[in-house]
């Protein structure tokens, strides 16, 4: 399917829908989303919210009816006008402040979480990259994205009755993906050769429209490639080190060549995490070919490179054995006019120089601006990487902090909540989302209105979870206990905690189970019960993570917990939305200081779902004493599990539960709603994608663009 094919299928009067369907702009504008939903809600759900698929499979009668329906056409005209004004319009923040720059910023990332209809993300890193592109689009920042498209996406999680996570692989049917193949000059699909491979490897290129921004995704699944090579981009984060190296060569070096083939000459290279860092080699190579020495070229390239590190956890960094590097790079050293050791030493980690080529160390050495993703993570990253700058004091290592943010128009519930914001904050709150004054208006929403909207979201969430549990009961004949563990006994009137994140030891999903008796008392209290919704995948190779999933699921099956623990399968971007809109309190208790930032709590807070979180990552900056609850601020040596669990139980018993259940005559818990409002007011502006994107522009991109 292409946009042209889809256009030709539509009645003349509503042909613009094809353009809209192929631009994710629709996904963060409520009225644009509405225009697809209202066409046929059943088809909309069946297509899994993919407008390309929906329009391609809708009956011609249905489309014709819409094209003749005056109410539909009024909406259509309005949406298309906005689309033209915002996607093609020139009145952007960036343009009005800084004018035009012919050379864009090239943003490289191994994953992008834009929407469930394009599953090329695994988790937080990808969602952040997606939110970043959307925020840049809103602001008119001239960015192009580069990444990979995976033929199997990330794994789908299905739990067995014994709680073991099965990783179900799904082959993506590309027919209706909201992406378009990039064509070469003669109209044939563009094919670009990636360096280093013998036999050669080629990539095809797909373009994704994200508002004003183009994202180019590469794919090795081509006839021209050997069978083994076709699978390079099969799966996100392959566990095999060689396959991983091959992916990263394609991502970084192939990516630079694709931009060259498209005649895009970037002014800045932004590496989102270490995976795409080989791009730097290819940029150096370009200059060496034009006559620079290796050192000159490396200096020039790094002067235009920005690197963002996302985790202090060692498993988040790729380290490739030198022997593996030699196998792929042996003849490239000469092309860079450098000797082997000069090149490979760029990737040695001062912490463990013999371990291999460390992508984070490499990216840190070869970039001009480097940043961590929260203030605390900045301190930690400077401490970890200080040995790279032996003549500086450790705390002066040149790694700055730009705290993550989330794309508010994507994460704030699009119908009733955004409508309330339109009314209370003024219709232009999206444009002014990073100004604290914008959010003062939250007080104009009556407590009872905010409360009831939120409770309705919870009812919807619980209904969705129950439908999923019902499907598995019906299809797989699970035991009653398993159906209950999947959420069949959830009750929307009960105080609901949400814990949804990757299942891996440092996130400590078991912390609440430290004192079983105390937890049971909390959950089964007759007057003031609590329920907990868990969700999250373990990486397919993370056995410890899979055991965590299993243990939580098995507890959820236990009658002692009275059906008040649910584990919802297959955490993804859509489920994340339902959860942050619908649970009452967002729980986070990782082992400090390992949470670099965390972003799901920001999404929750902006929807009026307060955080109950350990003081780590973004929450150290976000918590203000009135917008949620915090614990675990004191550094502790040794095992801190018991102390943290105790602090968590105390806050629940003494503060969260009383404020939730304390109802006034109007049956609204005003003190709890006060915390909800403070949560929106204090978190939305400071942790908005717009604030984040502006910081990257003003602190990093502009100094490079202006040669400062
Ligand atoms: C936001 C999000 C994440 C990241 O959240 P953390 O708080 O960093 O764990 C992961 N997965 C999905 C699907 C998300 O939406």
């Amino acid at each position: 399917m292409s946009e042209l094919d889809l256009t030709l299928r539509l009645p003349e009067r509503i042909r613009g829908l094809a353009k809209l369907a192929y631009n994710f702009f629709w996904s963060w504008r409520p009225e644009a989303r509405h225009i697809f939903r209202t066409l046929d809600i059943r088809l909309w759900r069946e297509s899994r919210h993919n407008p390309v698929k929906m329009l391609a499979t809708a009956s011609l009668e249905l489309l014709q009816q819409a094209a003749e329906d005056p109410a539909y056409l009024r909406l259509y005209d309005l949406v298309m006008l906005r689309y033209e004004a915002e996607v093609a319009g020139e009145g952007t923040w960036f343009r009005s402040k800084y004018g035009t720059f012919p050379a864009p910023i090239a943003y490289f990332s191994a994953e992008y979480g834009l929407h469930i209809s394009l599953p090329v993300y695994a988790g937080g890193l990808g969602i952040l990259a997606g939110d970043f592109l959307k925020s840049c689009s809103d602001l008119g920042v001239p960015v192009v994205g580069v990444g990979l498209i995976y033929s199997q996406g990330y794994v789908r999680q299905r739990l067995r009755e014994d709680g073991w996570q099965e990783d179900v692989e799904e082959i993506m049917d590309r027919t209706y993906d909201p992406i378009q193949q990039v064509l070469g000059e003669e109209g044939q699909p563009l094919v670009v050769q990636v360096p280093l491979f013998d036999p050669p490897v080629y990539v095809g290129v797909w373009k994704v429209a994200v508002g004003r921004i183009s994202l180019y995704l590469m794919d090795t699944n081509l006839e021209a490639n050997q069978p083994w090579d076709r699978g390079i981009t099969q799966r996100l984060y392959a566990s095999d080190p060689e396959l991983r190296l091959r992916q990263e060569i394609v991502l970084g070096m192939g990516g630079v060549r694709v931009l060259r083939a498209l005649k895009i000459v970037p002014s800045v290279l932004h590496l989102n995490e270490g995976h795409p860092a080989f791009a730097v080699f290819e940029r150096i190579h370009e200059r060496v070919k034009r006559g620079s020495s290796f050192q000159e070229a490396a200096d020039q390239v790094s002067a235009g490179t920005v690197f963002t590190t996302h985790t202090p956890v060692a498993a988040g960094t790729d380290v490739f054995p030198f022997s593996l590097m030699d196998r792929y790079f042996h003849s490239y050293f000469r092309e860079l006019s450098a000797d082997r050791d000069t090149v490979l030493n760029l990737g040695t980690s001062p912490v463990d120089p013999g371990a291999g080529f460390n992508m984070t160390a490499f990216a840190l050495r070869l970039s001009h601006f480097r940043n961590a993703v929260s203030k605390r993570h900045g301190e930690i990253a400077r401490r970890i990487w200080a040995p790279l700058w032996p003549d500086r004091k450790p705390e002066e290592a040149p790694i700055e902090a730009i705290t993550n943010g989330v794309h508010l128009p994507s994460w704030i519930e699009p119908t009733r909540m955004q409508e309330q914001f339109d009314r209370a904050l003024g219709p232009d709150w999206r444009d002014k989302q990073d100004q604290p004054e914008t959010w003062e208006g939250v007080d104009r929403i009556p407590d009872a209105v905010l409360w009831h909207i939120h409770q309705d979201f919870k009812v919807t969430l619980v209904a969705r979870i129950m439908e999923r549990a019902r499907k598995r009961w019906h299809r797989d004949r699970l035991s009653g206990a398993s159906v209950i563990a999947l959420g069949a006994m959830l009750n929307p009137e009960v105080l609901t905690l949400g814990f949804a994140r990757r299942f891996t030891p440092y996130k400590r999903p078991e912390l609440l189970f430290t004192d079983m008796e105390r937890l049971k008392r909390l959950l089964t209290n007759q007057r003031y019960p609590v329920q907990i919704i868990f969700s999250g995948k373990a990486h397919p190779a993370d056995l410890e993570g899979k055991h965590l999933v299993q243990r939580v699921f098995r507890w959820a099956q236990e009658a002692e917990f009275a059906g008040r623990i649910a584990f919802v399968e297959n955490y993804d971007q859509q489920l994340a939305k339902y959860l942050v809109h619908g649970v009452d309190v967002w729980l986070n208790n990782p082992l400090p200081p390992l949470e670099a930032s965390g972003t799901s709590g920001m999404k929750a807070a902006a929807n009026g779902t307060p955080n109950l979180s350990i003081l780590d990552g973004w929450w150290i900056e976000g918590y203000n004493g009135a917008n949620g609850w915090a614990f675990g601020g004191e550094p502790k040596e040794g095992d801190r599990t018991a102390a943290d669990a105790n602090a968590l139980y105390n806050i629940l018993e003494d503060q969260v539960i009383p404020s939730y259940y304390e109802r006034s005559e109007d049956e609204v818990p005003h003190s709890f709603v006060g915390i909800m409002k403070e949560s929106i007011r204090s978190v939305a502006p400071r942790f908005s994608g717009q604030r984040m994107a502006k910081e990257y522009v003003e602190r990093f991109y502009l100094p490079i663009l202006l040669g400062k």
Side-chain angles (χ1 to χ4, degrees), residues 92-110:
T92 67
W93 169 82
F94 187 90
R95 171 74 77 102
S96 61
K97 231 171 147 190
Y98 304 109
T100 52
F101 284 93
I105 290 105
Y107 184 83
F108 278 59
S109 177

Side-chain angles (χ1 to χ4, degrees), residues 613-635:
S613 170
I614 203 160
L615 282 165
D616 196 20
W618 80 281
W619 192 230
I620 296 173
E621 293 159 62
Y623 177 60
N624 70 5
N627 61 354
W629 301 272
F631 63 99
E634 35 332 293

Side-chain angles (χ1 to χ4, degrees), residues 225-238:
N225 289 329
Q226 303 291 318
W228 193 45
D229 294 330
R230 272 184 223 167
I232 294 176
T233 57
Q234 188 167 41
R235 239 230 243 166
L236 188 50
Y237 298 138

